[in-house]
Amino acid sequence: MKSYSAANLLGKEMQPQHIAERLANFFSFAFNKEAEIELAVEVPQSVYLRTRLMCEFIETNYEIPVSVGEFVSALFIDFIQRNMKKHNPKKVCDELTKYVKPIESLEINDPMNNKIYLIKKKEHSTYVVGFSLDKVNIRRGEMILAEIDELTGNYYTVEELISRLWNNFIKGFSEGNNEKAIEKIFKMISTHIK
């Protein structure tokens, strides 16, 4: 079985082994739900910096300290819960491929002079962020991705999933598609993390 994260929880669980070993591994996993695993996620530096600004805004306006890790964990947990409640592989694929094609130029609208400027975008710098996530949700993410892989042939890891969810959220916010982004993330954080 393919590895769907650096932790490869599902792959280890699905390895052929004696039934007694499989039961022992299952119960060990079930009773060790609090265990967390560190995953490294790569995003454009601009996405990371925008997230830090959003976290500072939430902290200033709602008086609740929010780390980038909590912000991104809330996005991931929200994705897992949405996909556990409603099975829709096509919607998952659409969400994962939403902003895959790179934008060659940035369009800036200048209404004062009635002009639109096209500025060629430069290559972005990437930033690698380490997050501690609980094993249960990493495993659930691996199961969703294994299903997508089996149904569509599109292979993603949990790290890529988190990176894409994070990019999609910030890009959607930047494009004005999610006017209530701050309230939405605040609600997710207060619901899922606290």
Side-chain angles (χ1 to χ4, degrees):
M1 173 174 227
K2 293 178 185 173
S3 176
Y4 292 96
S5 79
N8 194 22
L9 300 173
L10 187 60
K12 291 173 186 172
E13 182 181 307
M14 301 295 284
Q15 287 178 349
Q17 51 188 302
H18 192 270
I19 190 72
E21 287 179 51
R22 191 174 291 161
L23 282 173
N25 286 345
F26 174 77
F27 285 116
S28 169
F29 178 81
F31 291 113
N32 194 12
K33 287 184 179 179
E34 299 304 317
E36 292 188 339
I37 295 176
E38 178 109 359
L39 296 178
V41 177
E42 186 175 330
V43 291
Q45 188 172 333
S46 61
V47 169
Y48 174 76
L49 293 173
R50 176 56 54 184
T51 304
R52 284 187 52 192
L53 279 172
M54 291 176 86
C55 289
E56 289 176 13
F57 181 84
I58 291 170
E59 187 170 342
T60 301
N61 290 299
Y62 295 98
E63 298 178 357
I64 293 177
V66 177
S67 70
V68 171
E70 290 171 323
F71 185 100
V72 177
S73 293
L75 292 176
F76 178 64
I77 292 167
D78 179 66
F79 173 85
I80 298 297
Q81 290 182 350
R82 282 186 286 121
N83 286 287
M84 286 174 57
K85 287 179 185 174
K86 189 168 185 176
H87 181 258
N88 190 341
K90 182 184 178 330
K91 190 172 182 181
V92 172
C93 285
D94 290 346
E95 188 170 356
L96 290 174
T97 58
K98 187 172 185 176
Y99 292 103
V100 171
K101 187 177 179 183
I103 299 170
E104 297 294 324
S105 60
L106 181 64
E107 185 177 293
I108 298 176
N109 188 2
D110 181 5
M112 299 285 267
N113 296 319
N114 200 22
K115 291 184 179 180
I116 296 176
Y117 301 98
L118 290 177
I119 299 172
K120 186 172 172 75
K121 287 184 79 174
K122 69 175 200 160
E123 288 292 317
H124 64 266
S125 304
T126 58
Y127 192 75
V128 178
V129 186
F131 296 103
S132 291
L133 296 168
D134 66 283
K135 281 184 174 181
V136 173
N137 284 317
I138 292 173
R139 186 173 145 273
R140 288 174 179 162
E142 288 180 2
M143 287 192 285
I144 291 169
L145 295 174
E147 178 187 44
I148 294 302
D149 185 15
E150 187 173 314
L151 294 174
T152 67
N154 293 315
Y155 170 74
Y156 303 101
T157 63
V158 171
E159 293 87 346
E160 290 170 323
L161 167 65
I162 293 169
S163 178
R164 287 174 185 234
L165 292 172
W166 191 357
N167 272 302
N168 289 353
F169 187 87
I170 297 300
K171 286 184 181 180
F173 176 73
S174 298
E175 291 178 356
N177 296 336
N178 192 356
E179 293 175 10
K180 299 193 183 242
I182 298 290
E183 289 84 6
K184 180 180 177 182
I185 199 69
F186 173 73
K187 183 178 179 185
M188 283 191 285
I189 289 169
S190 57
T191 302
H192 301 302
I193 304 300
K194 304 294 179 199

